[in-house]
Amino acid sequence: MRIKLGLKTEATWSTGFGHLKRLQNLVDNWNNVEPLFISSEILPTLKYNSFQVQSASDFAEVIRDLDMLIIDEPELSSEFLESISADCKVIGFDELGLLRDRLNIHFATTLLGLENRIQYRGITKEYIGPDYFIFPKPESAAQVECNRKILVTFGGSDPVGLSQQYLEAMSLEILQSSLMVIGPAFSSSAKQKLLECTHLSFLDSPVSLVPYYQVYPITVTGGGVSAYEAILYGSKVLLCSQHCEQASTAQRLVKKCAALEFDTYPNVKWSDLKSLLTKYIQEDSEIVLPSGQSLFDGQGVFRVRKILEEYAQSEGL
């Protein structure tokens, strides 16, 4: 019998696309579930059944007959939270707000440290650490031409405009060595302004960055999902965080010698990044970082699926 699985998330300019992408990676080719994506705003590029809810009562109605509900979005409204019935099995990812107290299972993949462990907290069983990180599946990099050295990606929406700041702060030499990703939720004005730069190559709304992480030796990114994916697939990561949550994740990666950090918006140390990249290009020198790939075994998606399948068939934790 297939599990009726609800997945509550959003993918907007403010929330970014990482939450949606994680859930898509989780359910992709998972034959034991019937996924239903639930959101208030229209979810882009979605091949699964979906339902838009406009109110807490709509939400309560649509989740009533589910076997399990996964919530992966920042700041779920209190009205939606209170509408979840007591007998609903609720799972969350990287949640440190009020929702955390209601979760039955919590996968804290980045926010509570990089040491893998399991702990109990009230009604919640928490699986902590990179063992539970949901990575996209490997892809062939054969079609990717690496005619530049630096991949630059600040997520699906880049809400604080780090892409433009990178463009303005770096030298012509560095820009000519960079490939910049334009995410699917970039504002039209931000995208237009970026494309005015003729010295920089762009990658517009790619389906996946995995082939690029496998080929590009350097990735400049924030401290979110992209950092972990780049590390797993072999790219050296230079971090410019968009907000405090990303900064905390970045600092943990730095402590593990898996990345270099250049502070957080609005205090990103662009001059330091420029100096490092200039040396890297002019001297053809390697940016020395121990491989962070050992932090991840890449099996998180299968590990999480097994935990959820067992929980769906159980009476409780």
Side-chain angles (χ1 to χ4, degrees):
M1 179 176 167
R2 299 177 78 193
I3 300 165
K4 294 180 180 179
L5 178 65
L7 304 112
K8 176 67 175 77
T9 191
E10 301 292 339
T12 65
W13 179 82
S14 59
T15 63
F17 276 45
H19 305 281
L20 172 61
K21 190 64 177 177
R22 170 161 51 192
L23 296 182
Q24 288 178 304
N25 290 335
L26 176 63
V27 301
D28 187 32
N29 294 321
W30 187 5
N31 296 324
N32 293 336
V33 299
E34 295 177 8
L36 174 66
F37 281 79
I38 305 164
S39 64
S40 297
E41 304 291 334
I42 295 175
L43 295 175
T45 63
L46 194 62
K47 64 180 180 180
Y48 303 99
N49 290 333
S50 61
F51 192 92
Q52 276 186 266
V53 292
Q54 303 303 323
S55 66
S57 59
D58 288 347
F59 182 54
E61 179 67 23
V62 76
I63 69 175
R64 185 176 58 184
D65 297 323
L66 297 174
D67 295 314
M68 288 191 304
L69 171 66
I70 294 178
I71 301 175
D72 189 357
E73 68 171 277
E75 301 176 1
L76 181 75
S77 74
S78 58
E79 291 84 1
F80 277 53
L81 176 57
E82 291 166 3
S83 72
I84 302 172
S85 65
D87 60 350
C88 182
K89 294 180 175 179
V90 186
I91 297 93
F93 283 90
D94 292 321
E95 176 57 56
L96 297 184
L98 293 176
L99 174 62
R100 185 182 181 192
D101 293 331
R102 174 58 186 86
L103 298 176
N104 301 109
I105 290 179
H106 181 206
F107 296 104
T109 62
T110 62
L111 299 184
L112 297 177
L114 295 175
E115 303 301 327
N116 295 305
R117 62 191 190 278
I118 299 173
Q119 69 182 26
Y120 289 87
R121 181 180 180 274
I123 66 169
T124 311
K125 188 173 185 180
E126 296 192 311
Y127 296 86
I128 299 169
D131 268 1
Y132 310 100
F133 200 96
I134 307 298
F135 287 104
K137 61 185 178 183
E139 299 178 40
S140 171
Q143 303 302 316
V144 175
E145 294 184 10
C146 187
N147 53 4
R148 304 207 169 200
K149 294 184 176 182
I150 305 160
L151 182 67
V152 183
T153 174
F154 291 110
S157 61
D158 188 10
V160 301
L162 292 185
S163 301
Q164 184 65 36
Q165 292 174 45
Y166 177 90
L167 188 155
E168 294 172 357
M170 296 301 113
S171 65
L172 175 61
E173 183 178 36
I174 293 172
L175 295 179
Q176 290 175 334
S177 297
S178 299
L179 173 66
M180 178 173 284
V181 178
I182 296 177
F186 275 40
S187 68
S188 56
S189 59
K191 178 177 176 179
Q192 182 178 356
K193 190 173 182 180
L194 287 170
L195 291 175
E196 290 174 358
C197 178
T198 59
H199 306 298
L200 191 61
S201 288
F202 295 95
L203 186 63
D204 195 350
S205 302
V207 174
S208 172
L209 287 177
V210 169
Y212 296 87
Y213 296 139
Q214 292 172 319
V215 169
Y216 276 73
I218 299 296
T219 297
V220 178
T221 188
V225 172
S226 297
Y228 286 83
E229 293 181 358
I231 290 169
L232 177 68
Y233 290 109
S235 190
K236 300 288 180 68
V237 172
L238 309 181
L239 299 171
C240 306
S241 299
Q242 295 174 327
H243 46 71
C244 292
E245 184 179 301
Q246 283 192 358
S248 297
T249 299
Q251 288 161 14
R252 294 187 183 100
L253 289 172
V254 170
K255 287 180 181 178
K256 291 289 186 179
C257 298
L260 294 178
E261 182 190 16
F262 296 86
D263 217 330
T264 307
Y265 174 83
N267 301 312
V268 174
K269 298 175 181 175
W270 294 113
S271 59
D272 291 352
L273 178 62
K274 180 180 178 181
S275 296
L276 181 68
L277 292 178
T278 298
K279 182 178 180 181
Y280 168 66
I281 294 167
Q282 290 182 351
E283 300 180 10
D284 199 25
S285 61
E286 182 180 359
I287 294 177
V288 179
L289 279 173
S291 173
Q293 290 175 291
S294 61
L295 290 173
F296 317 109
D297 62 9
Q299 300 301 305
V301 64
F302 305 107
R303 195 172 285 118
V304 169
R305 286 176 183 175
K306 182 179 179 181
I307 291 168
L308 295 183
E309 287 178 4
E310 291 175 352
Y311 180 47
Q313 298 166 9
S314 71
E315 293 299 322
L317 293 173

